[in-house]
Amino acid sequence: MSENLLSKIRALSDQMGVSVTGLPEKIDIRPGALSLAPPFIREKGWRSPLLVADSHTFAAAGERLEALLEEGGTAALVTLVLPNEQGDVIADEASVVQVLLALQGNKSDVVVVAGSGTLTDIARYAAYTAGLPFVSVPTAPSVDGFTSSGAPLIIRGNKLTIRVVGPAAIFADTNILKAAPAPMIAAGFGDMLGKYTALFDWKFGRITAEEPYSPEIAGLTESALLACVSHVKEIGERTEEGIRILTEALMESGLAIQLFGQSHPASAAEHHLSHYWEMEYIRTGRRQLLHGAKVGVACAEISALYHEIAARPEIRNDAKWDQIRKEIDRVPGPDEIRALLHAVHGPSTIEELGVSGDLLRRSLEEAHVIRPNRHTLLRARNEGGLNLQ
Ligand SMILES: [Zn+2]
């Protein structure tokens, strides 16, 4: 199945005539995939792995990886990334330096990370800085960043995404992913639902500002999104099939970004809201919310706003707006998005998420400035650009 995923991406890049760099050599999504990571590392000739995890992901996957690596004669040095004062493991300068120090002490030749999105970002950036390959063993289907070559880091309280390298291989063991905490599975689904508004905003940017666009890549992301929506019950019940479909969709969404070379296929106003909330939480020293949980709720809020804008009588009737309205109609309304989030037991409103009405209001006014180069409908609404030419 997952071999199909990579060959699909390669075929698409050939068809589009673009060369895509940084694709993983292998993406294995199946029960027991973890046990394939140590033989892969040995085949590549790597001898001295650094295994990065935290205390939770070490118990979920790291311990077994450590044992298998040792059995095969490539014993790993283990480094457990420590949480911050609020008890969160975050991808900040302290975490990155902790991994870099371990790498230097061990003279490692490969980084193996057992963890979710944040740990992967820490390990990815440290591996890149040290000029080493990294291998990913995800412990939760919580974000679409596993296949990414961007590392979102929090440096001095600000979030920035640094272009680094993608993983050499991903071993996504569905037995482990199925056992991930329920909020993380719901978050992965929320990150996928966010593609509804992201795909709309991408089209909006193309229609109003001639932003670069690819129907093939938009189609790839959309089919991954729809696969999740049509298996929402299985995902909520965390069946083998449901978790495999969610994991594949997240990988596929990440690969669509790789293929396009920018984040347009996967992220727009709903992600800008989520980033705005994240930065506010960092500034005020609050515990972090899961990325995908924020994105799912933000998607419902953006959907509500966009449907409201489309219904405004003062919005002029012209060919461009007719086209935009048609695209907004394809985005499910906020109630439908909230029902989907509920079906996977995730938060579906700002109250359930714990974001205040004041923060939501501010973010709806200001979040577009986070990505000043993106022409979203949120930005047009805030900068007086609704009377399009
Ligand atoms: Zn995301």
Side-chain angles (χ1 to χ4, degrees), residues 144 191 195 271 291 295:
D144 67 358
D191 203 17
K195 312 314 172 205
H271 272 75
H291 168 77
V295 169

Side-chain angles (χ1 to χ4, degrees), residues 56-74:
H56 300 291
T57 65
F58 186 70
E63 207 167 0
R64 194 161 142 63
L65 260 176
E66 184 189 24
L68 289 174
L69 284 164
E70 185 166 1
E71 262 171 42
T74 44

